[in-house]
Amino acid sequence: DARRIDVATLAPGAGVAGRVTVSAEAHGPLDALEARVQVPGGTTLTALGDSFAVGPIDVTLEGRTLAIRTLRLARSAGGAVDVHGRVGLEHQDLDLDLVLNKFPIEGIPGVASSGVPVSGLVSARLHLSGRPDRPEVTGNIDFADVIARGVHLGAGHLALAPARVGP
């Protein structure tokens, strides 16, 4: 176990700050390593000008597959992201489920700094497959109480069908 590691020291220049406690174990030969890394819930970090409660995180390396059993990120000002799934390391095959729960639109990186006044909440259940250079996204995105440039747009729903994203 490593307690209260200064994240800014580990990743200088990344814009991430806070202290994290990590539990890690590994066994097996290097060509068939199995490992597990855990971070308890409630770890507070700052990134992208925002504060987050990170954890619990439970990630394992099972041969050539990274299994994300639990990865939770809750924004202190509201909203949360949960990730579960697997990433094949050899070819970067993605099999990830993402759940976004009542995340303020203005808290999405890049939105607040865009200069466009927009607010509201977004929730989503998405499945990400394919590979990073050609991801496929399916699922549902729901918007609530959206206001853009002073215009009340209300609620909305997007259903994403299987389709490749990218070239």
Side-chain angles (χ1 to χ4, degrees):
D1 288 357
R3 299 189 185 280
R4 301 197 37 79
I5 300 168
D6 184 357
V7 177
T9 301
L10 287 178
V16 180
R19 296 193 175 273
V20 64
T21 296
V22 176
S23 172
E25 61 182 66
H27 58 86
L30 290 179
D31 62 345
L33 187 66
E34 293 195 16
R36 183 173 194 171
V37 176
Q38 295 177 301
V39 175
T43 299
T44 301
L45 297 178
T46 58
L48 303 170
D50 225 332
S51 179
F52 298 90
V54 178
I57 298 173
D58 186 357
V59 179
T60 61
L61 178 62
E62 301 165 353
R64 297 188 183 274
T65 301
L66 181 71
I68 302 169
R69 296 171 188 235
T70 303
L71 191 155
R72 181 165 180 76
L73 180 69
R75 185 170 173 261
S76 297
V81 178
D82 289 288
V83 180
H84 305 277
R86 303 172 79 72
V87 177
L89 299 179
E90 188 171 347
H91 300 290
Q92 297 180 322
D93 296 312
L94 304 172
D95 181 15
L96 299 170
D97 292 310
L98 291 85
V99 176
L100 196 63
N101 188 22
K102 296 182 180 176
F103 205 93
I105 294 172
E106 61 274 20
I108 297 172
V111 173
S113 63
S114 71
V116 177
V118 62
S119 64
L121 299 173
V122 60
S123 295
R125 288 188 172 279
L126 302 172
H127 182 76
L128 183 61
S129 59
R131 294 188 177 161
D133 62 335
R134 294 188 61 94
E136 294 182 15
V137 180
T138 60
N140 293 292
I141 303 173
D142 292 298
F143 298 92
D145 304 320
V146 177
I147 300 171
R149 297 183 184 253
V151 177
H152 295 264
L153 300 174
H157 176 81
L158 293 174
L160 303 178
R164 289 195 180 267
V165 177

mmCIF file of all heavy atoms in Angstrom, residues 5-7 19 23 35 41 62 70 74 88 96 98 100-101 155:
data_model
loop_
_atom_site.group_PDB
_atom_site.id
_atom_site.type_symbol
_atom_site.label_atom_id
_atom_site.label_comp_id
_atom_site.label_asym_id
_atom_site.label_seq_id
_atom_site.Cartn_x
_atom_site.Cartn_y
_atom_site.Cartn_z
ATOM 1 N N ILE A 5 -0.103 9.670 -1.641
ATOM 2 C CA ILE A 5 0.853 10.005 -2.687
ATOM 3 C C ILE A 5 0.431 11.334 -3.314
ATOM 4 O O ILE A 5 -0.727 11.526 -3.673
ATOM 5 C CB ILE A 5 0.882 8.909 -3.775
ATOM 6 C CG1 ILE A 5 1.275 7.573 -3.173
ATOM 7 C CG2 ILE A 5 1.812 9.290 -4.909
ATOM 8 C CD1 ILE A 5 1.037 6.411 -4.120
ATOM 9 N N ASP A 6 1.373 12.236 -3.481
ATOM 10 C CA ASP A 6 1.105 13.534 -4.095
ATOM 11 C C ASP A 6 1.021 13.340 -5.612
ATOM 12 O O ASP A 6 2.031 13.086 -6.273
ATOM 13 C CB ASP A 6 2.203 14.521 -3.728
ATOM 14 C CG ASP A 6 1.937 15.915 -4.259
ATOM 15 O OD1 ASP A 6 0.930 16.129 -4.978
ATOM 16 O OD2 ASP A 6 2.749 16.813 -3.956
ATOM 17 N N VAL A 7 -0.174 13.466 -6.157
ATOM 18 C CA VAL A 7 -0.394 13.220 -7.586
ATOM 19 C C VAL A 7 0.351 14.241 -8.446
ATOM 20 O O VAL A 7 0.866 13.898 -9.508
ATOM 21 C CB VAL A 7 -1.907 13.224 -7.911
ATOM 22 C CG1 VAL A 7 -2.157 13.046 -9.392
ATOM 23 C CG2 VAL A 7 -2.618 12.143 -7.120
ATOM 24 N N ARG A 19 -3.946 14.139 -3.092
ATOM 25 C CA ARG A 19 -3.222 12.985 -2.561
ATOM 26 C C ARG A 19 -4.106 11.757 -2.679
ATOM 27 O O ARG A 19 -5.300 11.818 -2.463
ATOM 28 C CB ARG A 19 -2.820 13.232 -1.114
ATOM 29 C CG ARG A 19 -1.848 14.388 -0.985
ATOM 30 C CD ARG A 19 -1.196 14.440 0.379
ATOM 31 N NE ARG A 19 -0.185 15.476 0.426
ATOM 32 C CZ ARG A 19 1.071 15.308 0.076
ATOM 33 N NH1 ARG A 19 1.494 14.137 -0.354
ATOM 34 N NH2 ARG A 19 1.940 16.293 0.140
ATOM 35 N N SER A 23 -3.640 0.733 -3.252
ATOM 36 C CA SER A 23 -3.282 -0.625 -2.869
ATOM 37 C C SER A 23 -3.008 -1.378 -4.158
ATOM 38 O O SER A 23 -3.828 -1.356 -5.083
ATOM 39 C CB SER A 23 -4.434 -1.277 -2.113
ATOM 40 O OG SER A 23 -4.165 -2.639 -1.890
ATOM 41 N N ALA A 35 -2.175 -8.407 -12.108
ATOM 42 C CA ALA A 35 -2.025 -7.342 -11.115
ATOM 43 C C ALA A 35 -3.384 -6.766 -10.768
ATOM 44 O O ALA A 35 -4.352 -6.913 -11.516
ATOM 45 C CB ALA A 35 -1.124 -6.245 -11.661
ATOM 46 N N GLY A 41 -12.767 4.862 -2.133
ATOM 47 C CA GLY A 41 -13.667 5.955 -2.458
ATOM 48 C C GLY A 41 -13.381 7.187 -1.620
ATOM 49 O O GLY A 41 -12.820 7.101 -0.533
ATOM 50 N N GLU A 62 -5.301 -8.805 -16.301
ATOM 51 C CA GLU A 62 -5.494 -10.244 -16.419
ATOM 52 C C GLU A 62 -4.863 -10.680 -17.736
ATOM 53 O O GLU A 62 -5.504 -10.647 -18.782
ATOM 54 C CB GLU A 62 -6.980 -10.579 -16.373
ATOM 55 C CG GLU A 62 -7.654 -10.109 -15.088
ATOM 56 C CD GLU A 62 -9.171 -10.098 -15.178
ATOM 57 O OE1 GLU A 62 -9.730 -10.326 -16.268
ATOM 58 O OE2 GLU A 62 -9.790 -9.837 -14.133
ATOM 59 N N THR A 70 -14.417 -1.302 -11.293
ATOM 60 C CA THR A 70 -15.088 -0.109 -10.793
ATOM 61 C C THR A 70 -14.167 1.081 -10.992
ATOM 62 O O THR A 70 -12.989 1.015 -10.656
ATOM 63 C CB THR A 70 -15.397 -0.225 -9.286
ATOM 64 O OG1 THR A 70 -16.178 -1.385 -9.055
ATOM 65 C CG2 THR A 70 -16.142 0.985 -8.770
ATOM 66 N N ALA A 74 -16.747 11.512 -9.153
ATOM 67 C CA ALA A 74 -17.889 12.369 -8.826
ATOM 68 C C ALA A 74 -17.413 13.808 -8.735
ATOM 69 O O ALA A 74 -16.477 14.117 -7.984
ATOM 70 C CB ALA A 74 -18.531 11.934 -7.514
ATOM 71 N N GLY A 88 -8.524 -4.650 -24.189
ATOM 72 C CA GLY A 88 -7.502 -5.598 -24.632
ATOM 73 C C GLY A 88 -6.235 -4.817 -24.948
ATOM 74 O O GLY A 88 -6.251 -3.927 -25.786
ATOM 75 N N LEU A 96 -16.242 -1.073 -23.035
ATOM 76 C CA LEU A 96 -16.442 -0.251 -21.851
ATOM 77 C C LEU A 96 -17.879 0.249 -21.755
ATOM 78 O O LEU A 96 -18.480 0.631 -22.763
ATOM 79 C CB LEU A 96 -15.503 0.966 -21.880
ATOM 80 C CG LEU A 96 -14.012 0.672 -21.886
ATOM 81 C CD1 LEU A 96 -13.232 1.948 -22.161
ATOM 82 C CD2 LEU A 96 -13.594 0.047 -20.574
ATOM 83 N N LEU A 98 -20.035 3.223 -19.869
ATOM 84 C CA LEU A 98 -19.919 4.495 -19.167
ATOM 85 C C LEU A 98 -21.300 4.966 -18.766
ATOM 86 O O LEU A 98 -22.234 4.946 -19.586
ATOM 87 C CB LEU A 98 -19.291 5.562 -20.067
ATOM 88 C CG LEU A 98 -17.829 5.382 -20.427
ATOM 89 C CD1 LEU A 98 -17.668 4.488 -21.621
ATOM 90 C CD2 LEU A 98 -17.204 6.719 -20.681
ATOM 91 N N LEU A 100 -23.070 8.299 -17.066
ATOM 92 C CA LEU A 100 -22.958 9.689 -16.654
ATOM 93 C C LEU A 100 -24.251 10.021 -15.938
ATOM 94 O O LEU A 100 -25.334 9.818 -16.493
ATOM 95 C CB LEU A 100 -22.791 10.557 -17.904
ATOM 96 C CG LEU A 100 -22.304 11.968 -17.781
ATOM 97 C CD1 LEU A 100 -20.887 11.988 -17.219
ATOM 98 C CD2 LEU A 100 -22.316 12.623 -19.153
ATOM 99 N N ASN A 101 -24.169 10.518 -14.696
ATOM 100 C CA ASN A 101 -25.360 10.736 -13.887
ATOM 101 C C ASN A 101 -25.499 12.205 -13.498
ATOM 102 O O ASN A 101 -24.710 12.724 -12.708
ATOM 103 C CB ASN A 101 -25.309 9.859 -12.633
ATOM 104 C CG ASN A 101 -26.596 9.899 -11.853
ATOM 105 O OD1 ASN A 101 -27.648 10.221 -12.380
ATOM 106 N ND2 ASN A 101 -26.505 9.579 -10.582
ATOM 107 N N ALA A 155 -35.756 19.642 -22.161
ATOM 108 C CA ALA A 155 -35.192 18.285 -22.131
ATOM 109 C C ALA A 155 -34.990 17.760 -23.549
ATOM 110 O O ALA A 155 -35.588 18.252 -24.502
ATOM 111 C CB ALA A 155 -36.127 17.357 -21.367
#
